Amino acid sequence: MGDFFTTAMAFPAVIFTFPLAVVLLYWTFGVLFGVGGSVAEGGDAGGDGGDGVGGFTGVMALLGLSGVPAAIPLSLLIAVAWFTAMAGTELLDATAARIATVPVALVAGWGVARLLVLPLRRVFPTETGAMREDFVGKVCVVRTSRVTADFGQAEVTAEDGGTAIVQVRAEGPEGADLGAGSRALIFGYEPEREIFWVAPYDAGPATGHFENQLPR
């Protein structure tokens, strides 16, 4: 047991030991007292309007960890990264090799969390899907330097006044007119890819004009 704690407190495992302790305390309090039952969704397009939610959800979406409460993928990432770092701490002696274990542990944690989030999304579809569908017909503000058929993010305001960063896409000349600060109209949503299709706000009239116009 002593060797276990020695390894856990040695570099590089110690980098993840304390975050893991926080994760364990979080879930322990959640089970015993119901704390954390309404954790903000990582990448949920609905957002909850809290400060910094938009930026955080955007990061989670970029990492492919959206669609479930953020605590789940973060906990998985930290746990797997800690286990990987523990193995590196135990098996490697060279300092350089141990330093290299840190990015390896993070990538391993992200990879496992990404794989497990995919099936878990089916457990949390109703509320997040409804929130995302509510954004169709709204005007958003582009936050990336460009919007293409494969890339783009925008900020949209929910009915409750909260904001969220969502993944947006546009095709052809419509995307060429969109840059950071541009206003765009959300006219479609693809739940499978969790993306919104947009067009420049001044390019067409109301939302009905764009309904069912998603690219094939």
Side-chain angles (χ1 to χ4, degrees), residues 74-101:
L74 287 178
S75 298
L76 290 170
L77 190 157
I78 291 171
V80 174
W82 175 82
F83 181 83
T84 305
M86 283 283 287
T89 303
E90 185 68 26
L91 299 175
L92 302 174
D93 293 325
T95 302
R98 288 192 172 188
I99 292 175
T101 301

